[in-house]
Amino acid sequence: MKISDITAPFRKTAIAAASATILAAGTASADEHNLTIGMSFQELNNEYFVTMQRALESAAKSIGAEVITTDARHDVAKQVSDVEDMIQRGIDILLLNPADSVGIETAVLAAKEAGVTTVAIDAQANGPVDGFVGSKNYDAGYKACDYLAEQLGGEGQVALLDGIPVVPILQRIEGCTASLDEHDGIEIVTKQNGRQERTHAMTVTENIIQANPDLDGIFSVNDIGSLGALIAIEASGKDIKLVSVDGHPEAIAEIQKDNSPFIATSAQYPADMVRVGLGLALAKQWGASTAPAEIPIDIELIDRDKAADFSW
């Protein structure tokens, strides 16, 4: 067992405890100044982000702060407009979950000019953000694909389902590719964009399977896309193993099924992520000089043996 495997739970507990301390310390200030927190999501048609939203609302309530949330629906132009509107409404803190890491810079600059403390959540954002909290996405891709290679006996053809152009997705692909490259018998036959959407990923996977009749495995950058890929795999009748990233409840349920093609997902912790992000934003808001610029959140590979005991 690696030292990192032993210390990871303690690091996670320490981060959560530190955030709770910051939140508790800030209660009086939040009440006195009517703190307003805005959070712009890349989408809210996904239980992952809904879980994050609920956790934010609960944390904000505990310090007497108001919350404004918006849904960009994967449209960065809409997200920029949403953020500008929240700035006009007088937010003190902006938690930003970018639909596009580069395209959102205009909104980050606008928040900076308005004196709004901005922390990027889940995906990094270009521009002068005050902090970033996100999963170890390289590790997520690496662990999922290492497990896939192991289950394939180190040999076979693998396809990658890519996603939107944000840093976490790029890091997951990078980690997956690095892992598979360590196995001489594994060949990456194609990488295509499933858009992290169930229906589109299903269609893309159907085409991949048709073009690669000897395909053995698929890595999807997120669970929603993987659920679409799963439909295509099962319809094909082929023995194709599937791994992914997120820990979505539907994915966890599929992984638990006997003989399911879906064999594992690198699970994230969205509720912890947004709580830590809010704690970091409050620390920055109140001038903490030792608050870090980035806080990475551990991920955990969930296979069939662990799925029954896992939930967000």
Side-chain angles (χ1 to χ4, degrees), residues 76 79-80 94 96-112 118-121 123-132 165-168 170:
V76 70
Q79 188 165 45
V80 169
L94 172 63
L96 183 60
N97 169 234
D100 184 314
S101 295
V102 176
I104 199 60
E105 185 171 4
T106 302
V108 175
L109 290 167
K112 181 71 172 181
T118 302
V119 172
I121 304 291
Q124 185 57 281
N126 279 24
V129 295
D130 296 288
F132 169 62
V166 291
V167 173
L170 300 175

Side-chain angles (χ1 to χ4, degrees), residues 148-188:
L148 175 61
E150 177 187 308
Q151 296 303 305
L152 293 177
E155 297 182 348
Q157 296 185 355
V158 174
L160 311 184
L161 278 178
D162 207 345
I164 62 176
V166 291
V167 173
I169 301 304
L170 300 175
Q171 290 176 336
R172 292 173 196 178
I173 290 291
E174 184 182 355
C176 173
T177 301
S179 174
L180 296 179
D181 284 348
E182 293 175 1
H183 301 270
D184 293 337
I186 296 288
E187 177 189 5
I188 299 175

